[in-house]
Amino acid sequence: MPEFNFEILTPYRRFYSGKAESVTFVTFDGQIEILANHESLVAPVRIGQLKLVVNGKPRRAAITEGFAKVTEGRVDLFVDAAEWPEEIDRERAEQALGRAAKRLAIETLAWRVEASKRAAARAHNRIAVVRGEPTQPSSAVL
Amino acid sequence: METMRDIRSRIKSVRQTRQVTNAMKLISTSKLRKARRRLEDTLPYFNGISEAMRDIIGHSEENGQKWFDRRENKPARRVATLVITADKGLAGGYNHSIIRYVEESCPVGSLLLPIGNVGKRYFMEKDYILVEDFAVSTKEPTVYEAKEVAAFAASQFLEGKIDEFKVIYTKMVSIVRLEPTMQVLLPLDAAALADDGKGSDSAAYRYLPSEEGLFDALVPQYLKGIVYGALVSAFASEQAARMTAMDAATKNADEMLGRIRLRYNRARQAAITSEVSEIVAGAAALED
């Protein structure tokens, strides 16, 4: 399959840099898959799973919010954080989910509720990636 | 004339100071190494996000976009500046040059958002309006802290409480070249962003969901990335400045010790000479 250059950058590290045949991530309108020769595009990225096909092999990763920029022959993803399944500490993710759920029950300030929802969505996403399950849309989780 | 005892206590005090400056130098050397690694990890993101933004803005319609609104007709435009200084002093000219830069570029009475204790304490006494006290550590900034600052700036801008948002921080060009830098973040300026790079080469973008919706999602991301990069860069600069300053202080102490030792030896020699001449004179007196 035709390839393109793909890069994921986070503030902490260059997460991935190399060739890819297909990249799938979640935007506001739902999942989107980018193949080679895709038209130029800019889109926000939401918390969710990233699917990546390299040399015919699929790989998955948990990513958080950011944006994607697709230009001729290359795709750049700028996100807050990205992790491969083997890097995720499942226990920590479950604790984070518990904390977020607890906070969500007591918070009343709108932006704090929003922050707790996001924390819960991040934790949920990471757990799903470790388990190898698809991530539920965040509205279904909360 | 100084006695040997005076000089000896002076040597002791200089030596102690040297010990302190030397220790501080070593500490900031190791901190600098860590900070530079972080800076190197962030730079691709920082540069990438700036470049992407430049590219996207170059292709977008400026008119009628709230993020581009310069509000030139407003009678009293309010400019807010994020100022990043250190939490501690003893870093050579680091804090001083940032403060001077702010005083030169921000008219008295403008809004400041200081990060770092030195700047906070200094500007509290001056005729600036300090807007918000962010609990951001200059030592190990996190993306979440940067996000808080960025979200605050974005919401204030949209509500019309501020009309311009910029950041002043120290950029580390190399270890010995630290430059106070100012970057205007809001309103987005296509012209300013476009002219420091290659022109727009690629075709126009398709925007998901819409252009307006995209910018609402994109701008906070962009601000956060730049603020985080500025924080990391500032901390690395601080350590570099402190290391250089403490290195110079240690060298000065060494030099001073050399001079004092010379004086000490002279005083000792003088004491011995006078003692010998006393003995000789006494012996001569006995012989007579």
Side-chain angles (χ1 to χ4, degrees), chain A residues 9-14 28-29 32 39-44 65-67 69-71 78-80 122, chain B residues 41-42 44-45 48-49 52 55-56 142-144 147 204-209 214 217-218 221 224 228:
Chain A
L9 295 169
T10 76
Y12 301 113
R13 61 181 164 151
R14 195 189 292 266
F28 285 120
D29 302 332
I32 174 171
E39 71 173 325
S40 293
L41 171 83
V42 187
E65 288 152 315
F67 70 95
K69 178 171 157 268
V70 180
T71 39
F78 300 92
V79 291
D80 286 353
R122 279 197 301 270
Chain B
D41 288 342
T42 311
Y45 179 82
I49 210 165
D55 202 15
I56 293 164
T142 63
V143 175
Y144 289 98
K147 196 183 227 165
Y205 290 98
R206 192 157 78 87
Y207 298 99
L208 273 182
L214 173 82
L218 209 70
Q221 288 285 338
K224 181 191 64 193
Y228 180 74

Side-chain angles (χ1 to χ4, degrees), chain B residues 16-278:
Chain B
Q16 272 167 359
T17 308
R18 187 197 172 278
Q19 229 164 30
V20 172
T21 56
N22 195 39
M24 284 182 74
K25 182 188 107 188
L26 294 177
I27 291 167
S28 46
T29 308
S30 83
K31 278 191 182 161
L32 174 66
R33 200 173 308 133
K34 235 166 98 187
R36 282 188 80 180
R37 204 176 313 130
R38 282 181 69 160
L39 184 62
E40 272 157 28
D41 288 342
T42 311
L43 271 182
Y45 179 82
F46 186 71
N47 293 338
I49 210 165
S50 305
E51 206 172 292
M53 206 60 192
R54 190 156 62 218
D55 202 15
I56 293 164
I57 290 173
H59 284 297
S60 67
E61 271 306 312
E62 243 194 72
N63 302 331
Q65 277 266 3
K66 58 187 181 208
W67 295 105
F68 292 95
D69 191 357
R70 281 189 206 94
R71 301 175 193 159
E72 268 150 354
N73 306 325
K74 226 173 133 177
R77 286 179 87 245
R78 289 211 280 184
V79 180
T81 312
L82 185 70
V83 178
I84 305 172
T85 60
D87 277 335
K88 289 179 281 188
L90 289 179
Y94 175 76
N95 288 308
H96 181 71
S97 50
I98 276 284
I99 285 171
R100 205 178 46 202
Y101 191 84
V102 170
E103 286 182 329
E104 277 167 13
S105 54
C106 303
V108 168
S110 58
L111 309 176
L112 297 184
L113 291 82
I115 289 179
N117 288 330
V118 174
K120 257 178 225 168
R121 274 197 299 254
Y122 181 83
F123 290 113
M124 217 145 40
E125 311 283 317
K126 304 282 163 186
D127 292 327
Y128 287 101
I129 302 162
L130 303 194
V131 185
E132 180 94 355
D133 192 1
F134 291 110
V136 174
S137 79
T138 53
K139 238 184 287 164
E140 276 176 20
T142 63
V143 175
Y144 289 98
E145 287 167 340
K147 196 183 227 165
E148 206 181 302
V149 177
F152 175 79
S155 67
Q156 296 285 304
F157 179 78
L158 286 185
E159 284 170 29
K161 287 186 182 137
I162 59 174
D163 304 303
E164 195 177 322
F165 177 58
K166 28 184 206 178
V167 54
I168 292 183
Y169 68 100
T170 310
K171 191 174 175 180
M172 191 164 83
V173 182
S174 71
I175 291 189
V176 287
R177 248 185 85 203
L178 308 171
E179 288 178 354
T181 311
M182 181 171 76
Q183 195 170 349
V184 178
L185 300 180
L186 287 174
L188 298 176
D189 187 352
L193 280 166
D195 69 24
D196 57 302
K198 332 128 214 177
S200 33
D201 42 355
S202 51
Y205 290 98
R206 192 157 78 87
Y207 298 99
L208 273 182
S210 62
E211 190 164 341
E212 183 93 26
L214 173 82
F215 273 99
D216 286 350
L218 209 70
V219 172
Q221 288 285 338
Y222 165 71
L223 290 182
K224 181 191 64 193
I226 301 296
V227 169
Y228 180 74
L231 285 167
V232 172
S233 170
F235 184 64
S237 303
E238 179 193 335
Q239 295 308 326
R242 182 164 294 130
M243 188 185 84
T244 317
M246 289 302 121
D247 188 41
T250 307
K251 276 195 192 119
N252 283 347
D254 280 336
E255 222 172 86
M256 201 184 244
L257 274 178
R259 280 202 308 272
I260 298 173
R261 266 208 201 97
L262 207 67
R263 255 179 19 226
Y264 176 74
N265 289 343
R266 241 179 239 147
R268 193 184 55 153
Q269 197 55 54
I272 293 168
T273 310
S274 75
E275 215 169 291
V276 168
S277 72
E278 269 164 35

